[in-house]
Amino acid sequence: MIQTEPSDLQGTFRALADPSRREMLARLRDGEMTIGDMAEHFPMTRAAVKKHLTILEQGNLISVHARGRERINRLEPIALKEVSGWLDYFSSFWDDKLTKLQTAVEAAEGNSK
């Protein structure tokens, strides 16, 4: 049974769809970053980085909190676990297909000997 409905994950999948946002998540894996810290790693404006971070926040992949005048971005890996759980539901389909393919290949090899 799927524990998380796809509509619950729509924002998360939208956030993960962009390669720049996936790179931002990878950078946040190593620790919290401000918008300015993040902007140093991308060939885009600070405003564009902020927009990407906002989409990541809407997808529940990061949280943002204030530290003085700065906005600190933090990875929230639980959303990734939910995506992984939803995708794992379909892994049995591929496991079955690959097992059948292996059986067919082994049978073909046995017939050719």
Side-chain angles (χ1 to χ4, degrees), residues 38-53:
M38 188 67 74
E40 292 176 9
H41 301 283
F42 293 90
M44 62 181 77
T45 66
R46 196 175 152 110
V49 169
K50 183 177 183 337
K51 184 175 181 178
H52 281 297
L53 291 170

Side-chain angles (χ1 to χ4, degrees), residues 58-103:
Q58 291 169 348
N60 300 315
L61 291 162
I62 68 169
S63 61
V64 182
H65 63 276
R67 184 182 301 150
R69 294 179 57 184
E70 296 181 313
R71 291 176 47 90
I72 308 299
N73 300 277
R74 175 185 303 147
L75 179 66
E76 295 296 339
I78 191 72
L80 292 171
K81 184 173 177 149
E82 291 171 359
V83 168
S84 176
W86 189 80
L87 292 172
D88 283 348
Y89 175 77
F90 296 98
S91 67
S92 65
F93 168 79
W94 292 111
D95 291 343
D96 293 344
K97 294 288 185 188
L98 291 173
T99 299
K100 288 177 183 175
L101 176 61
Q102 180 180 4
T103 301

